[in-house]
Amino acid sequence: QVQLVESGGGLVQAGGSLRLSCVASGTFFGINAMGWYRQAPGKQRELVAAVPASGTTNYADSVKGRFAISRDNAKNSVYLQMNSLLPEDTAVYYCNAFIRLRASMRGYDYWGQGTQVTVSA
């Protein structure tokens, strides 16, 4: 019914930049918060950045000043601009969205399939 598709991952050298995109497709009533998480090998999935439908964004301390999250509600999309990338940013990045399928239903978390980001030293 709902699918989140990420794109924009890849291989980049330390200090470089990447821009991740996520588009929610399908039929749904609306989207509340959207965000990006990442999971490195052997580590827990962690929040990178999130933005509610309205209000302030929040970032993991490790990416503050380097990453910027934004969204386009008309396109049901969320983006993550990643600058000054570090090897420790290497991970699979997952798009997350809290989506309400129907007006008569509560919302639920949905996840994308993930996109690999690799930062070489």
Side-chain angles (χ1 to χ4, degrees):
Q1 185 68 21
V2 176
Q3 186 175 21
L4 302 180
V5 179
E6 304 103 329
S7 62
L11 174 64
V12 66
Q13 292 184 323
S17 298
L18 286 172
R19 184 173 185 262
L20 305 183
S21 298
C22 173
V23 180
S25 63
T27 302
F28 47 84
F29 179 74
I31 303 175
N32 191 359
M34 302 189 81
W36 290 93
Y37 291 71
R38 68 186 181 188
Q39 187 167 21
K43 295 186 177 181
Q44 297 292 317
R45 186 174 298 186
E46 65 174 349
L47 174 69
V48 178
V51 56
S54 61
T56 60
T57 59
N58 64 286
Y59 298 90
D61 288 341
S62 60
V63 308
K64 288 180 179 177
R66 300 188 297 119
F67 292 9
I69 189 170
S70 61
R71 66 188 291 173
D72 186 335
N73 291 331
K75 298 180 179 179
N76 297 316
S77 300
V78 64
Y79 311 93
L80 185 68
Q81 179 66 46
M82 304 185 294
N83 299 321
S84 301
L85 283 162
L86 302 169
E88 45 264 52
D89 294 318
T90 295
V92 177
Y93 284 69
Y94 296 91
C95 178
N96 170 260
F98 191 81
I99 300 177
R100 189 176 178 181
L101 296 181
R102 302 179 186 274
S104 59
M105 296 174 59
R106 59 156 290 171
Y108 297 93
D109 266 327
Y110 291 84
W111 295 88
Q113 81 289 345
T115 184
Q116 177 70 46
V117 171
T118 302
V119 184
S120 63

